[in-house]
Amino acid sequence: MSLPQQPHASALLAEASDVKDAPAQDLLAWAERRFGARAAIATSFGVEDMVLIDLARQHAPSLRLFTLDTGRLPPETYELMEVVRKRYGVTVETYFPERERVEALESTQGYFSFRQSLEARKACCAIRKVEPLARALAGQQAWVTGLRREQSVTRTDVATLEVDSAHGLLKLNPLATWSSRDIWDYVRANGVPYNALHDRGYPSIGCAPCTRAVKPYEDERAGRWWWESAENRECGLHPVR
């Protein structure tokens, strides 16, 4: 007996045309009605993701919540993970990189190979992030992210709804048009917990050795892989157009 065919992502995009310009809470509510647990929120526990989690608990409680534990996250991120788990009463599904691939990388290339070249950094991200993401999204119809256009030069064209061709899914970015001020206004108005590193000059937080605080004049993702040019500061989870 054959399994029912999943709708193609482009068909889902067309189906969602009525909500593509809707407020974040309405887009999440649509995802709840349309997908339920067949959609998942990807979180790295940055402040945008915390707003997304808070909104989803109100408007899309059936959506799964997952994170990619690269093995090199700051302790503050793990502390926040536990706060989220207890405060919202949710399961945070955690995906690790494949042990054998990490062992081979570190044994042959050392512990900071990602600083040797752009290719070496992308190879590390592919092992620690891209491959676990593919496992996290397997069997899903859609995924939800906290991407915003204001974050960096690589994200200025982020749409609220788009086709993720790499995984064959509909991708929802409900906060795409939100400003940093919008995010922090929501956090303060609703008492949303956030990563302690944000108060220490880290607007964007990834793996500990690849993230630093930024200067006041720098963009929000300037502290991510700061030794690289701005147009390269993505890890492969969200391909640059």
Side-chain angles (χ1 to χ4, degrees):
M1 180 178 178
S2 61
L3 295 174
Q5 187 174 13
Q6 297 297 324
H8 192 275
S10 59
L12 291 172
L13 183 64
E15 184 181 330
S17 60
D18 290 344
V19 294
K20 68 181 181 67
D21 297 319
Q25 61 268 28
D26 293 345
L27 186 54
L28 286 166
W30 176 82
E32 171 77 6
R33 295 190 303 271
R34 181 61 181 81
F35 304 113
R38 298 301 298 276
I41 297 171
T43 178
S44 59
F45 295 94
V47 67
E48 294 87 1
D49 293 339
M50 292 307 303
V51 169
L52 198 56
I53 290 169
D54 194 79
L55 285 170
R57 294 310 298 161
Q58 301 172 59
H59 304 285
S62 298
L63 271 61
R64 294 171 46 230
L65 179 66
F66 75 86
T67 192
L68 309 178
D69 187 345
T70 65
R72 304 202 72 167
L73 302 180
E76 292 85 354
T77 299
Y78 292 108
E79 293 284 354
L80 184 58
M81 288 181 186
E82 188 64 8
V83 169
V84 167
R85 193 179 68 84
K86 292 180 177 178
R87 170 169 174 153
Y88 294 101
V90 296
T91 298
V92 181
E93 300 176 21
T94 304
Y95 289 82
F96 290 91
E98 294 180 342
R99 175 181 60 80
E100 295 85 354
R101 297 184 69 189
V102 174
E103 289 175 353
L105 175 70
E106 294 189 352
S107 296
T108 61
Q109 303 299 318
Y111 302 98
F112 294 91
S113 60
F114 43 83
R115 292 180 181 166
Q116 295 173 9
S117 67
L118 177 60
E119 292 72 22
R121 197 270 293 170
K122 288 186 175 181
C124 183
C125 288
I127 291 171
R128 295 184 186 272
K129 293 185 175 183
V130 178
E131 188 279 329
L133 176 68
R135 283 188 277 119
L137 295 178
Q140 299 300 112
Q141 292 185 343
W143 65 305
V144 186
T145 84
L147 295 182
R148 294 189 297 112
R149 295 172 188 166
E150 193 184 74
Q151 288 171 325
S152 69
V153 296
T154 60
R155 298 183 174 182
T156 55
D157 295 329
V158 168
T160 54
L161 287 163
E162 56 187 354
V163 171
D164 177 355
S165 56
H167 302 100
L169 303 176
L170 184 65
K171 185 176 179 182
L172 291 76
N173 308 305
L175 306 179
T177 63
W178 286 40
S179 66
S180 178
R181 180 172 181 175
D182 292 334
I183 293 292
W184 284 104
D185 283 350
Y186 183 94
V187 166
R188 296 182 180 109
N190 295 277
V192 176
Y194 60 88
N195 196 311
L197 289 175
H198 287 311
D199 289 335
R200 302 175 204 161
Y202 289 73
S204 180
I205 304 165
C207 292
C210 297
T211 309
R212 65 160 173 80
V214 304
K215 297 177 176 60
Y217 57 83
E218 293 181 309
D219 70 53
E220 294 182 30
R221 287 178 60 82
R224 305 290 296 275
W225 310 291
W226 63 92
W227 59 89
E228 297 177 357
S229 58
E231 66 271 16
N232 292 324
R233 292 177 188 154
E234 293 287 354
C235 60
L237 300 183
H238 310 290
V240 180
R241 294 172 181 78

